[in-house]
């Protein structure tokens, strides 16, 4: 029998979880707090469920130093569901703000308000997308499906600067962002902070999205959540699926600026959106509804939240005043060791993305120039050493070592040793 301690798993998601968390999970699944029933069986309306939610929020707040003017939501949509949710919610806010401004100008003439609002939507409504990999591409495609291509501005398609493939992030001077002006600008600017499939990560927050008139920035952090420091106030919405660094499959986490919630911001009414031929989102993706109900509008999988809370609390306890900076140091060290080894043998290994935007979380490379048989042999040799989950995404092939938080330093060193041995024997 193969023991858990005999292997190191580098799969991109669902990803490994800390063994100590899984051991506690096996206990609470059977009997939570000596109640005689398991955690999956308790009511999501119970005091215990509310305590779990509060603990998870507090741990994430501590790790990322989230300000008081932000709300944390838990939803069952996954990261892909948030592609839709951000569009539904922020377009609705944009429309209502535009309606209110027009109403101030024309008074109670509802027909005139609607006429001008239709014109504003047709001519001004834009959603900006920075497409740097497979997931940001999917997000832009979902926005196009929901609101129409005329409202979606792909401000950056990184493939155009890289021979039709992802792997670079062109300089910001080449981005075609919707102009920001007083009372105008895009409804949102979306980017994926770390592209799981393509191994591309933004090295820092884009300078062009900063400033007093900064747009509403939505960032998908599914695969690098709680792996490095985040300047939260620069973002309107941060979201991510839990199944990479935070927990198991089943929930998405949203960090949302409270000024986007009532009474500070009001969404357009469903009737108005229908009159404007804009989509009305499902209630379970409606941020005001989820926030008002403490993420418990519908039956939330509390076990999944408990796992996330355990993982995040473990990091809080491990790093103390360093907060997420402690994990960032380890993540950087693991990635550095792996990349340095790959770069040491350029005749054997080729890292796919440009060096300036290499992901610390998803290390994508080819073996012997992408020779299919040799890459198959490489993977087989890795499995013999207990190094699992290294096969690249089916859409791009190659090798991918996902360096998530639960991959230990010893796991990274084991991979480095195999890379060294393989290269020397090749």
């Amino acid at each position: 029998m193969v023991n858990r301690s005999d292997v190191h798993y580098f799969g991109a998601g669902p990803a490994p979880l800390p063994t100590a968390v899984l051991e506690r999970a096996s206990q609470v699944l059977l009997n939570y707090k000596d109640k005689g029933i398991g955690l999956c069986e308790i009511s999501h309306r119970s005091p215990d469920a509310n305590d779990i939610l509060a603990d998870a929020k507090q741990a994430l707040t501590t790790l990322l130093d989230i300000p008081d003017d932000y709300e944390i939501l838990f939803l069952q949509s996954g990261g892909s569901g948030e592609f839709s949710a951000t569009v539904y919610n922020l377009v609705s806010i944009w429309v209502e703000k535009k309606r209110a401004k027009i109403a101030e100008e024309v008074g109670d003439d509802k027909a005139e308000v609607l006429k001008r609002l239709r014109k504003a939507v047709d001519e001004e409504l834009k959603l900006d997308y920075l497409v740097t990999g497979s997931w940001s591409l999917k997000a832009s495609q979902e926005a196009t499906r929901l609101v129409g291509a005329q409202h979606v501005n792909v401000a950056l398609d990184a493939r155009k600067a890289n021979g039709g493939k992802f792997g670079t992030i062109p300089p910001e001077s080449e981005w075609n962002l919707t102009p920001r002006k007083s009372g105008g600008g895009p409804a949102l600017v979306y980017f994926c902070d770390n592209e799981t499939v393509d191994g591309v990560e933004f090295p820092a927050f884009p300078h062009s999205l900063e400033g007093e008139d900064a747009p509403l920035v939505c960032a998908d952090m599914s695969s690098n959540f709680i792996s490095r420091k985040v300047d939260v106030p620069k973002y309107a919405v941060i979201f991510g699926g839990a199944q990479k660094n935070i927990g198991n499959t089943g929930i998405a986490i949203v960090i949302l600026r409270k000024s986007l919630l009532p009474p500070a911001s009001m969404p357009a009414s469903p009737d108005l959106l229908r009159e404007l031929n804009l989509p009305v989102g499902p209630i379970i993706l409606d941020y005001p509804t989820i926030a008002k109900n403490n993420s418990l509008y519908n039956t939330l999988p509390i076990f999944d939240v408990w796992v996330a809370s355990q993982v995040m609390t473990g990091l809080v306890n491990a790093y103390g005043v360093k907060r997420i900076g402690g994990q960032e140091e380890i993540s950087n060290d693991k990635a550095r060791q792996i990349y340095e080894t790959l770069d040491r043998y350029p005749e054997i290994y080729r890292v796919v993305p440009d060096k300036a935007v290499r992901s610390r979380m998803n290390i994508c490379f080819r073996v012997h120039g992408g020779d299919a048989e040799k890459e198959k042999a490489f993977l087989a040799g890795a499995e013999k050493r207990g190094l699992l989950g290294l096969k690249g995404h089916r859409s791009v092939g190659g090798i991918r070592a996902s360096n998530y938080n639960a991959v230990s330093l010893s796991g990274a060193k084991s991979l480095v040793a195999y890379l060294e041995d393989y290269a020397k024997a090749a």
Side-chain angles (χ1 to χ4, degrees):
M1 182 180 74
V2 178
N3 294 315
R4 185 175 179 84
S5 58
D6 295 331
V7 303
H8 297 288
Y9 185 61
F10 296 90
L17 286 164
T19 298
V21 171
L22 292 175
E23 289 173 342
R24 289 194 294 274
S26 68
Q27 297 167 5
V28 302
L29 275 171
L30 290 173
N31 194 342
Y32 184 65
K33 288 187 174 181
D34 292 324
K35 295 177 180 293
I37 60 171
L39 183 51
C40 286
E41 301 164 297
I42 69 168
S43 170
H44 66 297
R45 305 288 185 195
S46 66
D48 283 327
N50 278 281
D51 288 345
I52 290 168
L53 274 166
D55 290 345
K57 289 182 180 182
Q58 184 56 55
L60 185 55
T61 297
T62 300
L63 285 173
L64 296 185
D65 197 19
I66 299 173
D68 291 339
D69 58 344
Y70 278 75
E71 183 64 77
I72 298 172
L73 310 177
F74 295 87
L75 302 93
Q76 296 174 64
S77 62
S80 295
E82 291 308 302
F83 296 166
S84 309
T86 51
V87 173
Y88 288 133
N89 285 278
L90 297 187
V91 165
S92 181
I93 289 171
W94 186 94
V95 168
E96 177 56 25
K97 285 184 176 179
K98 188 67 66 173
R99 186 209 63 78
K101 184 179 179 181
I102 293 171
E104 284 182 4
E105 297 171 356
V106 304
D108 295 330
D109 188 339
K110 294 183 179 179
E112 182 64 19
V113 170
L114 183 59
K115 176 184 175 181
R116 293 195 185 189
L117 184 56
R118 280 200 178 106
K119 186 173 188 295
V121 168
D122 289 344
E123 297 179 358
E124 300 175 34
L125 176 60
K126 293 294 181 184
L127 290 72
D128 285 3
Y129 282 79
L130 306 179
V131 176
T132 56
S134 301
W135 288 110
S136 51
L137 177 61
K138 287 180 182 292
S140 70
Q141 291 169 338
E142 174 64 357
T144 299
R145 190 182 71 87
L146 293 176
V147 299
Q150 70 274 23
H151 296 304
V152 175
N153 172 41
V154 176
L156 162 66
D157 185 340
R159 294 171 295 183
K160 294 180 180 179
N162 195 44
K165 295 183 179 180
F166 293 119
T168 64
I169 299 179
E172 294 183 41
S173 60
E174 298 179 12
W175 301 1
N176 184 34
L177 294 164
T178 298
R180 306 200 299 263
K181 53 188 177 181
S182 178
L188 64 87
V189 177
Y190 164 94
F191 69 92
C192 182
D193 204 44
N194 182 84
E195 291 281 3
T196 319
V197 173
D198 306 283
V200 171
E201 186 173 29
F202 276 81
F205 187 87
H207 294 296
S208 56
L209 302 183
E210 299 186 78
E212 292 183 4
D213 62 341
L216 299 179
V217 176
C218 304
D220 177 0
M221 294 188 180
S222 292
S223 52
N224 66 353
F225 232 148
I226 64 170
S227 72
R228 70 177 185 183
K229 295 176 183 177
V230 176
D231 193 351
V232 174
K234 291 182 177 179
Y235 300 85
V237 181
I238 296 171
F239 69 83
Q243 69 274 12
K244 311 286 188 178
N245 274 325
I246 297 181
N248 54 301
T249 303
I251 55 171
I253 300 175
V254 174
I255 303 171
L256 174 71
R257 195 178 289 162
K258 287 182 179 178
S259 62
L260 297 174
L261 295 170
S265 292
M266 297 301 293
S269 71
D271 287 343
L272 177 58
L273 292 171
R274 280 190 284 268
E275 284 196 78
L276 297 169
N277 294 318
L278 291 172
V280 177
I283 195 75
I284 58 170
L285 295 182
D286 182 66
Y287 291 156
T289 299
I290 303 303
K292 180 181 178 181
N293 289 276
N294 189 31
S295 298
L296 296 171
Y297 175 78
N298 59 328
T299 306
L300 188 68
I302 289 299
F303 173 74
D304 299 336
V305 180
W306 179 90
V307 171
S309 177
Q310 292 290 303
V311 170
M312 293 187 291
T313 300
L315 294 179
V316 171
N317 294 337
Y319 299 120
V321 294
K322 283 187 174 183
R323 300 188 179 183
I324 204 58
Q327 181 60 51
E328 182 173 18
E329 290 175 4
I330 299 222
S331 297
N332 290 347
D333 186 31
K334 290 187 295 176
R336 177 190 58 79
Q337 292 189 47
I338 296 170
Y339 278 124
E340 284 182 354
T341 306
L342 293 170
D343 289 340
R344 197 174 299 128
Y345 301 98
E347 70 282 4
I348 305 298
Y349 307 118
R350 178 180 62 83
V351 177
V352 175
D354 183 79
K355 194 169 187 177
V357 296
R358 287 178 176 177
S359 169
R360 300 160 309 117
M361 293 288 101
N362 307 103
I363 299 168
C364 298
F365 60 97
R366 304 308 300 252
V367 177
H368 291 289
D371 183 285
E373 289 304 313
K374 290 184 177 179
E375 288 190 335
K376 186 177 179 181
F378 175 89
L379 291 169
E383 289 196 14
K384 288 180 180 178
R385 291 205 185 190
L387 306 173
L388 309 180
L390 287 167
K391 188 175 182 180
H393 191 272
R394 64 186 180 277
S395 65
V396 295
I399 314 298
R400 175 176 55 182
S402 292
N403 178 39
Y404 297 135
N405 290 355
V407 174
S408 66
L409 187 56
S410 65
K413 288 182 180 295
S414 294
L415 176 57
V416 164
Y418 176 62
L419 290 171
E420 290 270 6
D421 292 346
Y422 181 89
K424 290 174 181 178

